[in-house]
């Protein structure tokens, strides 16, 4: 695997975001750095478009607001609203390509000079550190020196690659071959076997970084939604701000908050 600048990008519903979604980024970055596999210059969370139509997918503006609350203290993970702003659902290959092209075009000064809101801060710094002439020389015909946007996912998303009709082989070739995967796995699960059994993944196995999460945390959005709908506590499974937002907007069947207006009516 060539050593280069990497942005790790997680796509998904984030309905609502959990601590595990955020931990994935931290675990992945540490692993890549300690094994000298590259330099992680940023992280991106890309919530999916409402048209994805998954059960319990609350409108994108809510999911974005919750992600903002959950990521208040992160200096390096940014939210890209791009997928949610398209006219319909976007395939992951297209999203990876869009984000990678936008970053590299920004670095080389091609097209739009205004950085998008999700551009990692370290990219802005990279740009100011390099002399423009060197940059042009570096990038001319040599994408090796640009930033690679890799797909960060959990082992369950990896295993969804085998669901018939869900991902096209052509998209998988590009995602794994040109971008690469960073898979966060759980102690006790065996994504290595899954990779071995998939011709496409096996062919590009050099491009798949498997990161074992030794501090198991089985929290998922489904579990938080279940607790919320039962009126039980989900505290310490995600950010307090996220839970307050869920209550405030009565998401996922949360009992409506008792407001001062209610008190005046009764
Ligand atoms: N506990 C976990 N361990 C490893 N990866 C996880 C975990 N929870 C979520 N992920 C990963 O986070 C990404 C976003 O997934 P998603 O939005 O479906 O979250 P989720 O918690 O699985 O939600 P849901 O329960 O609604 O499916 C995916 O790549 C998924 O594999
Ligand atoms: N063919 C594809 O590109 C493809 C297929 C299925 C899911 N996905 C993406 O994977 C993510 C899955 O999210 P969930 O785990 O919440 O269902 C979403 O961001 C979705 O857009 C992409
Ligand atoms: Zn899921």
């Amino acid at each position: 695997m060539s050593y280069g600048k990497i942005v790790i990008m997680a796509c998904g519903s984030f309905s609502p975001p959990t601590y595990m979604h955020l931990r994935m980024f931290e675990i992945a970055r540490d692993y890549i750095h300690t094994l000298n596999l590259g330099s992680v210059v940023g992280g991106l969370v890309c919530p999916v478009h409402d048209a994805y139509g998954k059960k319990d997918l609350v409108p994108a503006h809510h999911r974005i607001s919750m992600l903002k609350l959950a990521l208040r203290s992160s200096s390096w993970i940014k939210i890209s609203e791009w997928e949610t702003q398209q006219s319909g659902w976007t395939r992951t290959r297209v999203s990876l390509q869009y984000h990678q092209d936008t970053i590299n075009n920004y670095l080389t000064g091609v097209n739009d000079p205004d950085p998008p809101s999700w551009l990692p801060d370290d990219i802005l710094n990279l740009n100011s550190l390099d002399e423009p002439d060197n940059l042009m020389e570096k990038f001319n015909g040599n994408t090796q020196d640009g930033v690679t946007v890799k797909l960060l996912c959990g082992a369950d998303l990896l295993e969804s690659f085998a669901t018939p009709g869900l991902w096209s082989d052509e998209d998988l070739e590009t995602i794994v071959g040109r971008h690469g995967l960073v898979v966060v796995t759980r102690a006790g699960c065996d994504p290595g076997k899954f990779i071995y059994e998939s011709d496409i993944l096996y062919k590009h196995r050099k491009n798949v970084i498997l990161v074992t999460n030794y501090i198991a945390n089985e929290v998922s959005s489904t579990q938080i939604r279940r607790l919320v709908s039962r009126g039980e506590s989900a505290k310490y499974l995600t950010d307090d701000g996220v839970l307050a937002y869920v209550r405030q907007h009565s998401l996922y069947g949360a009992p409506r908050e008792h407001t001062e207006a209610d008190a005046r009516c009764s």
Side-chain angles (χ1 to χ4, degrees):
M1 188 172 307
S2 58
Y3 188 92
K5 297 183 201 79
I6 297 170
V7 165
I8 47 181
M9 177 180 127
C11 60
S13 305
F14 308 104
S15 184
T18 72
Y19 276 147
M20 192 50 215
H21 294 141
L22 314 180
R23 281 296 298 158
M24 274 203 313
F25 280 89
E26 299 291 328
I27 298 164
R29 184 174 69 160
D30 277 350
Y31 186 85
I32 291 169
H33 286 169
T34 49
L35 266 76
N36 247 329
L37 300 174
S39 167
V40 177
V41 292
L44 282 179
V45 190
C46 294
V48 74
H49 194 280
D50 291 346
Y52 184 52
K54 195 174 149 178
K55 186 173 168 283
D56 293 328
L57 192 67
V58 297
H61 72 95
H62 283 317
R63 292 180 283 121
I64 291 163
S65 298
M66 291 188 282
L67 279 167
K68 284 183 181 159
L69 290 164
L71 286 167
R72 274 172 304 184
S73 67
S74 178
S75 58
W76 68 282
I77 308 169
K78 304 268 175 156
I79 305 156
S80 167
E81 302 180 21
W82 182 77
E83 283 192 29
T84 70
Q85 291 161 342
Q86 305 311 298
S87 55
W89 173 66
T90 303
R91 277 144 54 226
T92 300
R93 171 174 87 131
V94 175
S95 186
L96 285 165
Q97 186 78 57
Y98 166 79
H99 288 92
Q100 181 169 299
D101 287 350
T102 305
I103 293 170
N104 287 320
N105 285 345
Y106 176 77
L107 281 171
T108 47
V110 177
N111 302 336
D112 195 351
D114 290 329
S117 64
W118 50 263
L119 203 75
D121 294 341
D122 279 4
I123 302 275
L124 296 164
N125 299 340
L126 278 180
N127 212 6
S128 58
L129 288 176
D130 279 303
E131 292 291 321
D133 288 352
N134 292 349
L135 260 181
M136 285 314 288
E137 207 172 280
K138 245 170 51 179
F139 286 143
N140 268 343
N142 186 2
T143 48
Q144 282 284 87
D145 280 327
V147 169
T148 305
V149 177
K150 292 186 181 290
L151 179 63
L152 171 67
C153 65
D156 58 316
L157 195 139
L158 178 81
E159 292 186 5
S160 84
F161 289 179
T163 307
L166 195 58
W167 303 79
S168 73
D169 283 356
E170 200 198 337
D171 279 8
L172 290 181
E173 271 286 340
T174 309
I175 292 172
V176 194
R178 293 234 290 268
H179 294 276
L181 297 177
V182 183
V183 182
V184 175
T185 165
R186 301 159 188 189
C189 78
D190 193 1
K193 183 162 179 276
F194 185 83
I195 292 166
Y196 177 73
E197 287 174 355
S198 151
D199 287 337
I200 295 175
L201 291 174
Y202 189 74
K203 183 167 103 190
H204 295 293
R205 63 193 182 282
K206 266 173 67 182
N207 243 350
V208 182
I209 302 177
L210 279 183
V211 191
T212 301
N213 175 21
Y214 287 104
I215 310 174
N217 181 347
E218 294 300 325
V219 65
S220 67
S221 304
T222 303
Q223 282 156 342
I224 294 186
R225 293 195 300 269
R226 184 178 295 143
L227 291 170
V228 165
S229 72
R230 292 179 181 171
E232 293 179 353
S233 167
K235 195 170 167 72
Y236 310 126
L237 295 176
T238 188
D239 188 276
D240 282 347
V242 170
L243 294 174
Y245 187 95
V246 166
R247 278 194 301 276
Q248 214 177 351
H249 297 269
S250 305
L251 304 181
Y252 314 117
R256 218 167 75 79
E257 276 220 318
H258 190 70
T259 62
E260 279 183 28
D262 292 334
R264 278 196 299 275
C265 292
S266 56

